[in-house]
Amino acid sequence: MALIVQKYGGTSVGSVERIQAVAGRVYKTVQAGNSLVVVVSAMGKTTDGLVKLANEISPNPNRREMDMLLSTGEQVTIALLSMALQELGQPAISMTGAQVGIVTEAEHSRARILHIDTTRLSRHINEGKVVVVAGFQGTSNAGEMEITTLGRGGSDTSAVAIAAALGANFCEIYTDVPGILTTDPRLVAEAQLMDAITCDEMLELASLGAKVLHPRAVEIARNYGVPLVVRSSWTDAPGTWVTSAKPQGRSLINLEIARPVDAVEFDTDQAKVALLRVPDKPGVAARLFGEISRQKVDVDLIIQSIHEGNSNDIAFTVTTPILKRAEAVAAAIAPALRSQSHPKSDEAEVMLEHNIAKVSIAGAGMIGRPGVAAKMFATLAEAGVNIQMISTSEVKVSCVVNADECDRAVTALCTAFEIEAGEQGSGSKRELLTPNSSTDAINRVSTSHSSPVCGVALDLNQARLAIRQLPDRPGMAAKLFGLLAQHNISVDMIIQSQRCRVIDGVPRRDIAFTVSRIDGENAKKMLTQVAAELGWGEVVLDSAIAKVSIVGAGMVGQPGVAAKMFAALAQHQINIQMIATSEIKISCVVAQEQGVKALQVIHTAFELAGSEKVVVPA
């Protein structure tokens, strides 16, 4: 007999008929000999309706009262589903987040779970009842028993957290699609269903607009080794399993706010190649990385900064033994990238740097916490370490630094993030892990996908900020991202230009980053106010961007993946404005109006389409 947690979203319980259908599915699962906890969302568009009512009363409603209001939506569903189960002869009891023992931070509208007291929950399970739990909500631990909500996707978070606390055999997430697809079926009808995906891959896709699973839910599953399966509410199809390495004895106290960083990694076997002032037009990245792929040069980090005038910079890192080959490719291509009518010697200039190292922090807990990257930058600044390149993903932040500063950087980061130096691996590339971490859990889980890419995601809700002429010295990134963190503004992509110019005796670089579009104007206003006193240049905001990304653990050690992505965009005259990469993700910023087309052509290029069209119920 298995202990299973099932979660049903708003569309799955959107009417009396659908609630009765869910009750039938739950009853069938219990009759097969399983114990069950069912977590549900509010019916259909109930939450949207409640928000609309609040906005009719107040343009800026009080967050505490919003939690009181929004938490009522789930209470309707749990009562109706419990009644439907009882009508089938199945003992059931409905429980709110407070009744089930979900204790959260005292932070209205976006609380994180601290712990779950499973005493009452376990008693009802042992009595043979199906426990129907209101998702999305909990209660604060400040002695005042304040009702709190967990924010967008909170029912997913509730379900996986309960599964972790109970030690459930697995957690089933029921939704309106048959599982996790290679992309959004609303944009590509031939999106293919995946049998399995790793938590690391899902974290990247979840935060990049896939919207099937909330990243906080995946983070909990990854941290506690909860097997997850995403299935359709309308069929008995097997769905998609989300897999993770089994962790060792992680505490269930401070469940969502425990250590955000699991590991500090470093690699001293790195060299950097940069092409400065290349033309800002479609096909440049495709041409460069196409030739790199043909020469079997495996690239690690790739960054392309924002354009300046009609040109921008592309930089990438390689392992030291293949630097000569990488340099030869870049040098051979550079002349072809220069203006044919008025060639200038400083166009498409190739710049090499041997004496570098890459240091990274990794961990699923950094999602949605703007202070983590800021803390890394501040730690490096305090250690006197200057950052040359930055590359970010959902579960990792990497910085390129001088090789002779690597040991100092690693020591400082281990101290700051309380990482114990238990070394794994040998040679010049090592990982420093906590005792409760697993090497497999840090972006090393292989997949069974035949393609190196498992999914393509599109985010149309980002804006890009650029700060021109930021002084190039330790502490600037820390100051910038520390200010953003203080205003609770999360940053996604971060790109530091390779082009450096000396103004009034001070070396300066541009830096660009993306934030949620709703934070764009506030971030620009705040940064503009401090720019002059800190000696920064102009702050520029562009909200008309889209970010398209490919994700796949299978792309590690595959030189041609980036080239294939860039070539697909170039063939359709889609210009790449920015590039950032991690081991399992490549992201490109393009013009907003080209975002959907970019996703579609990349999905086609990697042959991810299935044989059947996926229909999403209304």
Side-chain angles (χ1 to χ4, degrees):
M1 182 177 74
L3 173 57
I4 303 169
V5 177
Q6 292 183 344
K7 178 263 177 178
Y8 294 90
T11 54
S12 302
V13 292
S15 65
V16 168
E17 292 75 20
R18 288 185 177 182
I19 288 174
Q20 289 171 328
V22 167
R25 185 185 289 273
V26 171
Y27 181 70
K28 182 179 177 182
T29 305
V30 175
Q31 289 299 300
N34 301 297
S35 298
L36 216 58
V37 175
V38 181
V39 177
V40 292
S41 300
M43 294 175 64
K45 301 292 184 181
T46 299
T47 302
D48 293 341
L50 293 172
V51 170
K52 184 178 178 182
L53 283 174
N55 289 333
E56 289 175 4
I57 297 291
S58 168
N60 187 27
N62 179 276
R63 283 168 54 194
R64 178 190 183 275
E65 302 310 328
M66 283 299 290
D67 277 2
M68 290 290 286
L69 176 66
L70 297 183
S71 64
T72 63
E74 280 72 20
Q75 288 178 233
V76 173
T77 316
I78 59 174
L80 292 175
L81 181 55
S82 293
M83 293 175 192
L85 286 165
Q86 290 162 8
E87 284 297 304
L88 294 174
Q90 172 59 49
I93 183 170
S94 62
M95 298 177 74
T96 65
Q99 289 173 321
V100 89
I102 298 176
V103 178
T104 75
E105 303 169 300
E107 182 73 41
H108 290 293
S109 80
R110 53 171 180 262
R112 288 182 179 265
I113 297 171
L114 298 177
H115 65 271
I116 301 176
D117 183 351
T118 60
T119 306
R120 187 175 179 187
L121 190 57
S122 297
R123 185 175 76 246
H124 289 306
I125 293 170
N126 293 335
E127 291 170 355
K129 296 175 185 174
V130 170
V131 184
V132 184
V133 178
F136 175 66
Q137 62 180 246
T139 183
S140 69
N141 197 25
E144 297 178 358
M145 297 294 289
E146 288 287 306
I147 291 175
T148 55
T149 63
L150 308 181
R152 187 178 70 84
S155 293
D156 285 355
T157 305
S158 300
V160 182
I162 289 170
L166 287 172
N169 294 86
F170 55 90
C171 179
E172 298 177 320
I173 305 291
Y174 285 92
T175 182
D176 54 4
V177 291
I180 299 166
L181 300 159
T182 51
T183 195
D184 187 340
R186 298 167 183 85
L187 301 178
V188 180
E190 297 81 10
Q192 186 175 359
L193 180 67
M194 290 183 248
D195 296 329
I197 185 173
T198 68
C199 272
D200 287 312
E201 291 170 320
M202 192 64 229
L203 280 167
E204 303 287 14
L205 288 170
S207 296
L208 294 172
K211 301 182 183 70
V212 178
L213 271 174
H214 196 273
R216 281 171 60 185
V218 183
E219 173 192 345
I220 296 169
R222 180 185 187 273
N223 287 342
Y224 293 94
V226 177
L228 268 179
V229 59
V230 180
R231 291 182 171 142
S232 170
S233 297
W234 325 112
T235 72
D236 291 323
T240 305
W241 284 92
V242 184
T243 62
S244 59
K246 188 71 176 176
Q248 301 172 2
R250 193 181 182 108
S251 172
L252 287 161
I253 303 300
N254 292 331
L255 191 145
E256 273 203 281
I257 64 168
R259 180 188 286 116
V261 172
D262 292 326
V264 174
E265 306 172 2
F266 67 97
D267 186 351
T268 55
D269 190 21
Q270 293 254 317
K272 179 175 71 176
V273 181
L275 268 77
L276 308 184
R277 293 174 291 276
V278 298
D280 181 35
K281 63 183 182 182
V284 172
R287 190 168 185 174
L288 171 61
F289 290 98
E291 187 58 34
I292 285 172
S293 170
R294 283 188 287 275
Q295 297 299 324
K296 306 298 183 186
V297 175
D298 193 14
V299 172
D300 186 2
L301 298 182
I302 303 171
I303 67 164
Q304 178 180 305
S305 59
I306 53 168
H307 69 88
E308 183 175 344
N310 295 317
S311 69
N312 51 31
D313 307 331
I314 300 177
F316 57 94
T317 63
V318 295
T319 57
T320 304
I322 60 173
L323 176 61
K324 289 291 185 185
R325 269 194 290 156
E327 177 189 2
V329 172
I333 288 178
L337 297 178
R338 295 171 188 147
S339 301
Q340 298 305 308
S341 54
H342 302 287
K344 299 177 184 177
S345 61
D346 64 348
E347 284 186 343
E349 177 189 356
V350 180
M351 183 177 72
L352 303 178
E353 193 154 351
H354 299 255
N355 191 33
I356 65 165
K358 182 179 73 172
V359 293
S360 309
I361 56 172
M366 63 179 68
I367 293 175
R369 300 188 203 181
V372 176
K375 184 176 180 177
M376 179 187 192
F377 302 149
T379 300
L380 294 176
E382 289 165 9
V385 176
N386 197 36
I387 300 168
Q388 299 181 24
M389 291 172 70
I390 300 169
S391 185
T392 58
S393 81
E394 305 306 321
V395 293
K396 182 174 285 191
V397 181
S398 297
C399 295
V400 170
V401 301
N402 284 333
D404 56 8
E405 296 177 334
C406 181
D407 287 348
R408 191 161 77 247
V410 169
T411 300
L413 291 171
C414 284
T415 300
F417 291 103
E418 300 176 6
I419 303 297
E420 294 185 21
E423 294 191 359
Q424 300 287 325
S426 59
S428 59
K429 181 168 184 174
R430 289 168 283 178
E431 293 180 344
L432 304 182
L433 302 173
T434 66
N436 292 335
S437 297
S438 164
T439 307
D440 288 341
I442 310 297
N443 289 342
R444 295 290 184 272
V445 186
S446 62
T447 68
S448 59
H449 311 306
S450 57
S451 168
V453 173
C454 71
V456 186
L458 176 67
D459 192 340
L460 292 169
N461 297 308
Q462 294 214 347
R464 179 179 61 221
L465 283 149
I467 301 178
R468 301 290 187 182
Q469 300 172 13
L470 202 72
D472 184 29
R473 57 174 178 254
M476 282 296 103
K479 175 68 75 174
L480 168 59
F481 295 104
L483 284 168
L484 292 168
Q486 288 170 24
H487 288 79
N488 203 35
I489 296 173
S490 290
V491 175
D492 185 12
M493 294 174 71
I494 303 172
I495 305 292
Q496 184 172 266
S497 73
Q498 294 304 293
R499 208 177 307 185
C500 186
R501 59 171 57 81
V502 177
I503 300 175
D504 298 329
V506 179
R508 296 173 180 272
R509 297 180 191 269
D510 298 340
I511 193 164
F513 52 93
T514 59
V515 299
S516 174
R517 188 170 296 159
I518 60 173
D519 290 328
E521 289 290 349
N522 287 338
K524 181 185 177 183
K525 183 179 179 181
M526 181 268 292
L527 293 173
T528 300
Q529 289 172 348
V530 302
E533 62 184 84
L534 294 173
W536 300 350
E538 181 186 10
V539 180
V540 182
L541 173 66
D542 183 359
S543 296
I545 65 165
K547 184 179 75 170
V548 63
S549 306
I550 57 174
V551 173
M555 68 173 65
V556 177
Q558 296 277 342
V561 176
K564 195 171 189 177
M565 179 184 189
F566 302 154
L569 295 174
Q571 286 164 13
H572 292 82
Q573 293 300 301
I574 298 172
N575 195 36
I576 300 171
Q577 300 179 15
M578 292 169 66
I579 302 170
T581 67
S582 74
E583 285 93 335
I584 65 168
K585 183 184 77 171
I586 301 172
S587 295
C588 294
V589 167
V590 300
Q592 184 181 29
E593 66 269 17
Q594 294 182 306
V596 173
K597 183 68 173 178
L599 176 138
Q600 291 169 340
V601 302
I602 292 169
H603 192 270
T604 299
F606 285 99
E607 302 177 355
L608 296 175
S611 56
E612 298 179 7
K613 291 189 176 183
V614 176
V615 178
V616 180

